[in-house]
């Protein structure tokens, strides 16, 4: 009896293609699935982790862009054999690399 009921439910799902669309019903079901986790009292730690990850990304991407431009200028100074421009850029590039390394290690721990 129980097997027949499960088979009937499965057949009902497979017979209705509307059950598999990305529509309002899908997102309502998704919210019903996820919301108990995010609304529970112990969820503060999860919210904090998400906030730290978003903040790290928001800080890390501009730093990576800045590092990219600094690396370009460092390479140009090296090719031009311009020591007065090269050494400050090398220090800046080293500092940016260390900062980005700290950010990436901080995200993994």
């Amino acid at each position: 009896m129980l097997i027949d009921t499960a088979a009937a439910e499965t057949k009902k799902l497979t017979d209705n293609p509307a059950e598999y669309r990305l529509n309002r019903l899908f997102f309502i079901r998704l919210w019903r699935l996820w919301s108990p986790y995010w609304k529970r009292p112990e969820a503060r730690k999860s919210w904090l982790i998400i906030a730290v990850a978003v903040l790290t990304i928001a800080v890390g991407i501009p730093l990576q862009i800045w590092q990219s431009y600094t690396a370009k200028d460092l390479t140009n100074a090296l090719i031009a054999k311009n020591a007065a421009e090269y050494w400050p850029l090398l220090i800046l590039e080293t500092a940016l690399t260390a900062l980005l390394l700290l950010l990436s290690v901080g995200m993994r721990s």
Side-chain angles (χ1 to χ4, degrees):
M1 183 73 165
L2 185 60
I3 294 173
D4 293 335
T5 308
E9 287 294 319
T10 304
K11 185 171 178 10
K12 188 173 83 173
L13 282 175
T14 56
D15 287 345
N16 189 357
E19 295 286 327
Y20 302 107
R21 292 190 179 145
L22 288 177
N23 55 13
R24 186 173 180 269
L25 178 62
F26 170 78
F27 290 106
I28 288 171
R29 288 178 177 168
L30 199 60
W31 176 248
R32 285 182 188 159
L33 178 68
W34 288 347
S35 64
Y37 177 80
W38 292 103
K39 291 181 178 180
R40 64 191 168 92
E42 301 87 23
R44 286 186 176 183
K45 184 177 179 181
S46 301
W47 283 107
L48 180 64
I49 290 170
I50 292 291
V52 167
V54 168
L55 183 65
T56 303
I57 290 167
V59 169
I61 289 174
L63 284 176
Q64 290 172 351
I65 293 169
W66 188 22
Q67 183 189 28
S68 172
Y69 283 110
T70 304
K72 176 195 66 141
D73 294 339
L74 182 70
T75 304
N76 289 340
L78 183 62
I79 290 170
K81 298 180 182 177
N82 185 351
E85 188 179 344
Y86 175 79
W87 290 108
L89 285 172
L90 180 64
I91 293 169
L92 179 61
E93 182 71 18
T94 305
L96 283 173
T97 303
L99 186 59
L100 286 167
L101 181 65
L102 287 175
L103 275 174
S104 68
V105 169
M107 278 299 293
R108 292 184 183 159
S109 57

